[in-house]
Amino acid sequence: MEFCHRFISIRTPSIIHRTRKPYISFCNSPESQRIRISETLHNETLKTLEWDSICRQLSAFTSTTMASAAARNGNVRLGRSRDESQKLMDQTTAAVLFSRPLDFSRIEDVSEIVDSAVGGELVTVGELCAVKRTLQSAREVLEQLEDGERSERYSPLLEILRSCDFQIELEHKIGFCIDCNLSIILDRASEDLEIVRSERKRNMENLDLLLKKASTEIFQAGGIDRPLITKRRSRMCVGVRASHRHLLSDGVLLNVSSSGATYFMEPKGAVELNNMEVRLSNSQKAEENAILSLFTSEIARSEMEIKYLLDRIVEVDLAFARAAYAQWMNGVCPSFSCGGPEGFKSNGSDYALSVHIEGIQHPLLLESSLRNFPDVLTPQIASSVQLDKGNAVVPIDIQIGCGTRVVVISGPNTGGKTTSMKTLGLASLMSKAGMYLPAKKHPRLPWFDMVLAEIGDHQSWEQNLSTFSGHISRVCKILEVASKESLVLIDEIGCGTDPSEGVALSASILEYLKDSVNLAVITTHYADLSCLKEKDAQFENAAMEFSLENLQPTYRILWGRTGDSNALKIAKSIGFDEKIVERAQEWVERLMPDKQQQWKGLLYQSLMEERNRLEAQAQAASSLHSEIMDLYREIQEEAQDLDGREILLKAKETQQVQKELKTAKSQLQTVVQELENQLRTANADNFNSLIKKSESAISSIVEAHRLSDDFFVTEKDSSSYKPQLGEQVNVKGLGGKLATVVEAPGDDDETVLVQYGNIRVRVKKSNIIAIPVSERNAGTSSVRPLRRQGQRRRILRNASDADKNEEVSYGPLVQTSKNTVDLRGMRVEEASHHLNMAISARESNSVLFVIHGMGTGVVKECAIEILRNHPRVAKFEQESPMNYGCTVAYIK
């Protein structure tokens, strides 16, 4: 109990002094006004781009109530610098790589408990248990990250928590003093509490014994139906009928039942015991309050550490929520491009783009197209944007050069201009917050310090603003606060006023934005704004595609082009009177005779057809590239497996040689032992005959294990060896690989032209080693066939190159283990069965490589006969000088 006393008395309650922060008066300086305007525009931009809806989507993937509340309220942190945003992105990537979800289930929001403790309000036992669970679970989160495989991959997440004070001492103190399962303070919390509770327990035992005795006597005297012990006015007493009150004549009446038939009386002997119970109960409560007061002070002193820990836990939870959100929408990690054009010129065409986002989809539209999304969002989110073509979300490509500062998007209404611009704005905000993008490949975009949007009608009766006044006043504020690292989005610039003045004002604004911001994207119906590109390369045009066939937008962006509004065509499709449309067309031709020529439409249509054709070819090339890469990876795996098999075969042959050597030694030892035994018993006359007999036996053993003469070619033989055309030889410079002689050497020629794969090289005759006859005829050696098989694994010419009129395409011919059947070493019946099974198992329009070897030719003849007569074999190509022992069959 000494530990308990020290534990509690080491800290005494202290008065928490909280000083009021001095009020700082900001003067109305231009800088302070600019900051206020910037914050106002930033908040309005978040509302315009529906950032709160993205945050609500993210909240569905959080695990703690604190992170969920922060996301629902739109308090998702945006990086204030490029490094901070990259740090958030690294945290998301680390969470994506983590193999299992973290357990946040026992972490609670104890900030209110801490605030109450700071305010001097006594914490309860339940609140102490909540603090203990939270501190313990927060520490366990760090341990889960540190125990993960390759924990260095999760260093961005570990850095969040390693600077935290997990208040382990406070956690252990609460666990020592409080039983959170029963929600009580333990006796060991202090010595005084243990003494009080011990005395109270003894007093209650005496009181209970006395009352039981009294109630039994009353029951036996007929004063009550059954013994009754109860509590009235916080004092223990017994029940007795009113008619038998005399049984406790010296007792104290505490209460009467509602019917008046039963009196609740305190026996005289119980008075002092009840008084003692009251005193001890008050002492116990005071001691418990003292302990709770100590914990209240402890929590108040640790206010900063606990709240900092909670903030870091929320940061980790949001990182894992971003990772889950990315996996839900099949997101990819974006990267931030450099600010200047010089950083891209040396890195390829893709890196010549400041913004390169391929196939991005509006995140709010994905709710209706993806499944297994938590049902926590309002139905208005998905209906707030209109870029939904049927039930499929149309992806768009955003490609802006690094030297471009202003992009002018034109095209018809309802064509997707505004939503495309919002998608770019949301992509910028999401990347700043460390979130993945619902795009393809590797999206790249600059880091913007501010995203400022002017989208929608800002007409206000209260402020006496018309549509144009509201629009232009907001644009003025954007120009005031925008910086060199800002992204500006303006929808329908200069609208709501006279077209000529609107064009002039808009052009002037764009000229100003070109020199003032990182990137500005505007939409317009003013065709004159698209001409700015002709004068300045920092301008770029884009158009929303419009299908002339069905008069419907396709929601695709055509970069570098100018779009038409197609107003007359849309009006005609809606059902306007043809006379009205024709008259309108006449007015258009009068106003703009130089821009409404028929050749323009024909040229546009031909360009669209050409683009569609090129896109189809690009898709086909991409598909072919993917197929070739799959085959390449399969060949690579086969090559790695081939090396392993060769090592195993060499080890097996080594074991076989060692076994034969051991057998030869054993046989020699047996001959010698028999000779020694015979010499001991034989006469001297028989010695010579016994020795000759033993020598003969030893010679036969040596002959049996000697290599054949034609196993290798000696130096003497190689000097007179002359390779023949079409013969396969070993070349020293190729590491023992097989090559084919394609040009026989002359009498005085010391070099030979050989071919290995697709490579022809002239080598010296001294570097050529002939293949032994036994190995050449057998064709089933344990190592050489593997090498020859490895040489045949290469990409062959396409079957369509041999016959251009062939309609069926079998794809690039590549020999792998999956499309190869090896019949070498089999009997004819076994080879026939295996070949038929292999042909039946192959899919249509594929190839089958049949390896039958050279040998006697029986298996080869059987294979050729089966291929010639099999109904699934369209044709077959027999072996060639570069492909000995293998026939290629084309399966229907």
Side-chain angles (χ1 to χ4, degrees), residues 40-54 362 364 384-385 418-419 421-423 425-426 429 451-458 474 478 489-491:
T40 301
L41 290 176
H42 173 72
N43 294 331
E44 291 177 354
T45 297
L46 296 182
K47 184 178 180 181
T48 299
L49 298 180
E50 299 177 275
W51 176 247
D52 56 338
S53 298
I54 298 294
H362 198 292
L364 300 182
S384 61
V385 282
T418 303
T419 305
M421 190 165 53
K422 282 186 174 182
T423 302
L426 278 178
L429 293 175
V451 179
L452 304 171
E454 158 35 28
I455 300 174
D457 187 359
H458 294 277
R474 185 173 173 85
I478 290 176
L489 308 173
I490 303 178
D491 187 29

Side-chain angles (χ1 to χ4, degrees), residues 545-578:
E545 186 181 43
F546 188 83
S547 175
L548 298 176
E549 298 178 357
N550 52 20
L551 298 179
Q552 293 292 328
T554 63
Y555 307 113
R556 298 175 63 185
I557 303 178
L558 306 177
W559 293 96
R561 303 183 187 179
T562 303
D564 295 327
S565 64
N566 295 291
L568 299 183
K569 296 178 181 177
I570 295 175
K572 184 177 181 180
S573 66
I574 292 175
F576 265 80
D577 191 311
E578 292 186 2

Side-chain angles (χ1 to χ4, degrees), residues 268-307:
K268 182 178 180 181
V271 173
E272 184 59 30
L273 294 175
N274 269 324
N275 292 339
M276 180 63 71
E277 168 62 20
V278 172
R279 288 195 298 271
L280 294 175
S281 176
N282 292 335
S283 298
Q284 177 180 331
K285 187 174 182 180
E287 189 64 25
E288 290 176 349
N289 287 340
I291 294 172
L292 294 178
S293 178
L294 290 174
F295 278 118
T296 301
S297 301
E298 186 80 13
I299 292 175
R301 280 191 293 269
S302 305
E303 175 194 8
M304 299 301 296
E305 292 80 1
I306 295 176
K307 287 189 174 181

Side-chain angles (χ1 to χ4, degrees), residues 380-394:
Q380 288 80 8
I381 295 178
S383 60
S384 61
V385 282
Q386 303 295 328
L387 199 60
D388 193 355
K389 187 179 181 181
N391 292 325
V393 181
V394 179

Side-chain angles (χ1 to χ4, degrees), residues 217-340:
E217 291 175 353
I218 293 172
F219 171 69
Q220 291 175 350
I224 197 71
D225 294 336
R226 57 183 178 82
L228 176 62
I229 300 175
T230 184
K231 180 181 283 191
R232 290 292 186 272
R233 297 181 183 178
S234 301
R235 301 177 72 88
M236 301 300 296
C237 58
V238 297
V240 61
R241 287 194 182 99
S243 58
H244 291 71
R245 178 182 176 183
H246 63 277
L247 295 176
L248 294 174
S249 57
D250 56 350
V252 179
L253 179 63
L254 297 178
N255 204 347
V256 181
S257 66
S258 58
S259 64
T262 304
Y263 284 8
F264 299 100
M265 301 186 68
E266 180 182 11
K268 182 178 180 181
V271 173
E272 184 59 30
L273 294 175
N274 269 324
N275 292 339
M276 180 63 71
E277 168 62 20
V278 172
R279 288 195 298 271
L280 294 175
S281 176
N282 292 335
S283 298
Q284 177 180 331
K285 187 174 182 180
E287 189 64 25
E288 290 176 349
N289 287 340
I291 294 172
L292 294 178
S293 178
L294 290 174
F295 278 118
T296 301
S297 301
E298 186 80 13
I299 292 175
R301 280 191 293 269
S302 305
E303 175 194 8
M304 299 301 296
E305 292 80 1
I306 295 176
K307 287 189 174 181
Y308 180 80
L309 176 61
L310 294 179
D311 291 340
R312 301 288 76 77
I313 288 295
V314 169
E315 193 172 341
V316 174
D317 189 8
L318 287 176
F320 277 89
R322 295 195 299 269
Y325 183 54
Q327 293 172 345
W328 168 75
M329 65 178 179
N330 298 323
V332 293
C333 180
S335 60
F336 295 113
S337 57
C338 298

